[in-house]
Amino acid sequence: MRATELFSREEILDLTRSSDLRGAGSVAVDWGLVATSLGLVAAWPHPLTVGVALFVIGGRQLGLAVLTHECAHRSLFRTRWLNDFAGTWLLGAPVWTDVHRYRVHHRKHHIGTGGPGDPDLGLVEPFPTTRGSLARKIGRDLIGVTAIRRIVGLLAMDFGFIGYTASTGVERLGPIPLSQRLRLGVRHLGPVVLTNAGLFGILAAAGHPALYLVWVGAWC
């Protein structure tokens, strides 16, 4: 069934039209839920509230990544520069995502969707999976193996050891001088460090610096 059979042209245009107000609202909702979850733990520190916070914040970190995807398409905000600004400083960098590199990568996906040149094929090829494979994946998540692999992979991309990818494919890059690797690392990690330092500073100023561990734990 085509979308035009369900909605009028005017309704489709309204649903797909970018809006600075709606974009800002989406960002505010995600960060509002993060703040509320951290506030819950600060007010009632307990394993149960920590568990709830990890669950909610983990979901909202994914939400920030999804909104980064929209900024990569420059569709979250009507104002063009807001997509780059928010995509970097409010959405992508806090969860260690680079909207500019992702935009280049994601364009290749749309150019060759489902074909041999689609860089995102690795995200779907392993599925559907077996129950045993799913159990192993969950086990790796619970004991931290997935987080370690993710951190190592992100550092390798940031310092130019492998090409940037949002999927499971790895493009190994040739030799790069150490000085250039350091410049790449500073450029790519700078926004990540600054935004997370800002978050930690806010929590410390509020008297709860340890709450930053909840943010990190949800990301891992």
Side-chain angles (χ1 to χ4, degrees), residues 59-109:
R60 290 311 84 217
Q61 288 173 339
L62 176 60
L64 296 176
V66 170
L67 293 181
T68 302
H69 164 270
E70 296 307 309
C71 287
H73 281 283
R74 294 193 171 96
S75 60
L76 183 62
F77 295 95
R78 185 176 180 85
T79 303
R80 186 180 178 89
W81 69 266
L82 276 175
N83 289 288
D84 291 339
F85 176 82
T88 296
W89 298 105
L90 301 179
L91 303 169
V95 292
W96 206 340
T97 299
D98 187 324
V99 67
H100 301 288
R101 287 192 290 168
Y102 177 73
R103 180 178 290 138
V104 174
H105 175 277
H106 194 57
R107 187 178 296 125
K108 297 176 184 177
H109 161 68

Side-chain angles (χ1 to χ4, degrees), residues 75-178:
S75 60
L76 183 62
F77 295 95
R78 185 176 180 85
T79 303
R80 186 180 178 89
W81 69 266
L82 276 175
N83 289 288
D84 291 339
F85 176 82
T88 296
W89 298 105
L90 301 179
L91 303 169
V95 292
W96 206 340
T97 299
D98 187 324
V99 67
H100 301 288
R101 287 192 290 168
Y102 177 73
R103 180 178 290 138
V104 174
H105 175 277
H106 194 57
R107 187 178 296 125
K108 297 176 184 177
H109 161 68
H110 281 284
I111 290 173
T113 304
D118 185 350
D120 287 348
L121 280 180
L123 295 174
V124 297
E125 285 178 339
F127 301 98
T129 188
T130 64
R131 291 184 179 181
S133 177
L134 179 60
R136 289 191 294 273
K137 287 178 173 62
I138 294 174
R140 289 194 294 268
D141 289 349
L142 292 175
I143 65 176
V145 172
T146 302
I148 293 172
R149 286 180 177 177
R150 185 182 181 192
I151 291 169
V152 170
L154 287 169
L155 288 173
M157 286 188 281
D158 288 342
F159 284 94
F161 289 98
I162 61 176
Y164 180 85
T165 177
S167 62
T168 55
V170 174
E171 175 194 3
R172 299 193 181 279
L173 302 181
I176 298 177
L178 177 60

Side-chain angles (χ1 to χ4, degrees), residues 89 189-199:
W89 298 105
L189 284 172
V192 178
V193 173
L194 287 174
T195 53
N196 277 271
L199 178 58

